[in-house]
Amino acid sequence: MTGREPAGRAVVIGGASGIGAAIVRALAAAGAPVTVADRDVAAARTLAAELGAEPAALDVTDEDSVAALFESVPGPVDFVVNTAGVSVLGLLTELPADKWRRVLDVCLTGAFLTIKHAAPRLAAGGSIAVLSSLNARQPAIGMGAYCSAKAGLGMLVEVAALELAPRGIRVNAIAPGLVRTPLTAASLELPGVEADYLANTPLGRAGTPEEIADAALYLRRAGWLTGETLDLNGGAHLLRYPDVHGHIRRATAPAAGKEPTWTR
Ligand SMILES: NC(=O)c1ccc[n+]([C@@H]2O[C@H](COP(=O)([O-])OP(=O)(O)OC[C@H]3O[C@@H](n4cnc5c(N)ncnc54)[C@H](O)[C@@H]3O)[C@@H](O)[C@H]2O)c1
């Protein structure tokens, strides 16, 4: 595919909120039939009803659920995006293993299951995009599970791109820096967090969900791009990740100065 606008259905997993919802809106505005799949089916239904899209209930960590989604979506599919992601904060020496597994499950295994079950529905010219993060390349104290999962996505995308290239299917990732969404809202309310992010962002501002959606539309039609993780962060990858853990510790430490356990 070169320069041709894709004409099939788009499926957006995690499409009910934040960046995923912006991608759904951009695809619908571009005239694509869209399926909005999310664990939060009520929110998926609301957005789908507004846009004339199809809602679907899905847990991206559950292989049967992902397989059932791709068996049931109607018509030819040409673009699949997985934006589902969660994070927990906790030092590696304190983080409960079940919280580690949860983040890896949603952020990394979910992307694997998406690729595995989306690929059979895609013809040559189709593509898959997954949401990575600035944390794929920048470590952050207290974010070991999230950083590890997002770093793993880079290699998953490269292997998938190699395996699916003979069928003409492309696989790419977008790695955003700070974008205001429900995922980041709580930490941005803590004193110092946003200022620290922006001090480490050469272009001096957060991104918008619409800017990430623009990149997704580009990946959908970029017929010669595969195996790529696109850093989209105002240049933040050139500097260092802010000390979110330190800000949270200072904001929530008891007056006595005792160290609490930093997991949530
Ligand atoms: N917001 C940012 O600053 C930022 C920065 C870098 C990367 N990202 C990544 O972008 C993606 C989207 O983040 P967002 O900020 O829009 O978050 P969000 O919380 O607004 O949206 C995430 C969506 O994923 C859904 N979801 C979560 N677990 C799921 C599961 N198991 N199955 C199906 N759906 C599930 C949620 O219901 C929600 O609708 C995530 O992968 C996140 O890691 C976000």
Side-chain angles (χ1 to χ4, degrees):
M1 186 186 71
T2 50
R4 179 176 71 76
E5 281 299 323
R9 172 169 295 273
V11 178
V12 183
I13 293 174
S17 172
I19 290 168
I23 294 172
V24 167
R25 289 180 187 283
L27 286 161
V34 187
T35 296
V36 187
D38 206 289
R39 189 180 53 176
D40 183 347
V41 69
R45 281 198 191 109
T46 303
L47 182 61
E50 179 196 325
L51 299 172
E54 291 290 322
L58 162 123
D59 180 346
V60 80
T61 67
D62 174 352
E63 181 159 16
D64 291 343
S65 173
V66 179
L69 172 76
F70 287 104
E71 279 158 18
S72 67
V73 287
V77 177
D78 70 38
F79 190 45
V80 175
V81 189
N82 178 28
T83 75
V86 294
S87 180
V88 297
L89 199 64
L91 299 176
L92 293 172
T93 49
E94 299 178 357
L95 187 67
D98 63 331
K99 292 196 174 194
W100 165 275
R101 287 196 187 97
R102 181 71 194 150
V103 175
L104 272 283
D105 242 20
V106 177
C107 293
L108 185 56
T109 306
F112 152 65
L113 293 174
T114 299
I115 292 166
K116 177 177 176 182
H117 292 283
R121 286 300 307 270
L122 293 166
S127 82
I128 301 169
V130 299
L131 262 291
S132 180
S133 166
L134 178 57
N135 290 119
R137 60 151 79 204
Q138 283 187 346
I141 292 170
M143 294 177 65
Y146 187 75
C147 293
S148 302
K150 295 297 188 179
L153 273 183
M155 185 54 74
L156 174 68
V157 160
E158 293 187 11
V159 173
L162 279 176
E163 292 187 3
L164 297 176
R167 294 175 45 196
I169 298 169
R170 300 175 296 104
V171 187
N172 293 294
I174 303 170
L178 177 63
V179 180
R180 288 166 215 284
T181 68
L183 185 72
T184 51
S187 62
L188 285 178
E189 277 168 24
L190 296 170
V193 170
E194 185 169 4
D196 201 355
Y197 264 110
L198 299 186
N200 289 292
T201 303
L203 292 180
R205 66 171 177 85
T208 65
E210 292 71 28
E211 286 173 313
I212 311 303
D214 264 354
L217 290 192
Y218 168 67
L219 293 184
R220 181 176 180 232
R221 64 180 151 77
W224 206 36
L225 189 72
T226 196
E228 179 65 12
T229 295
L230 183 64
D231 284 305
L232 190 54
N233 56 36
H237 65 288
L238 305 171
L239 296 174
R240 66 161 180 83
Y241 203 76
D243 182 16
V244 177
H245 179 264
H247 288 297
I248 292 174
R249 192 182 60 220
R250 283 185 288 280
T252 59
K258 269 185 73 182
E259 288 282 310
T261 298
W262 307 111
T263 56
R264 65 177 167 86

